[in-house]
Amino acid sequence: AVPANTKVAVAYGGMIVDGVTYAADAAEGVALVAAANGDVTPLTGFAAGQDQANVNFATIIGYCAEPGGVTVSTKATGRVRTR
C-alpha cells in the first residue's frame, strides 16, 4: 500500500502562477486577496491619498500578472505573481 501524502505544496516568494481563477475583474499589477472558494479578487476599500490605517495589507497574496489584466466575463483565469 502507498502511504497517504501528508504534505501540501505552497507557492512562496515571487512565483508566477498561471490558471488562477479571478472572482472579479483586475487590472495588471493590482494587489490581490483571497476570495471565496480559493479564487482571488482585487484588494479594495482604499484609494490613493486616503488614510490607510484600516486596510490590512497583510492579506495581499500577490499581484495580477496577466498581460492586460483579467476580465471575468471573457476569461476568468489568469496569472498571479505571488508575494
Side-chain angles (χ1 to χ4, degrees):
V2 177
N5 187 358
T6 59
K7 308 284 190 252
V8 175
V10 177
Y12 178 79
M15 303 174 88
I16 297 292
V17 181
D18 200 7
V20 176
T21 302
Y22 283 70
D25 296 349
E28 185 177 1
V30 75
L32 301 169
V33 294
N37 301 322
D39 298 347
V40 295
T41 192
L43 176 66
T44 59
F46 71 97
Q50 284 185 334
D51 178 18
Q52 310 300 325
N54 295 322
V55 178
N56 185 356
F57 293 100
T59 61
I60 297 172
I61 60 167
Y63 303 90
C64 178
E66 185 65 25
V70 172
T71 303
V72 173
S73 62
T74 17
K75 184 181 175 204
T77 60
R79 296 178 189 158
V80 171
R81 181 173 46 86
T82 63
R83 270 180 86 163

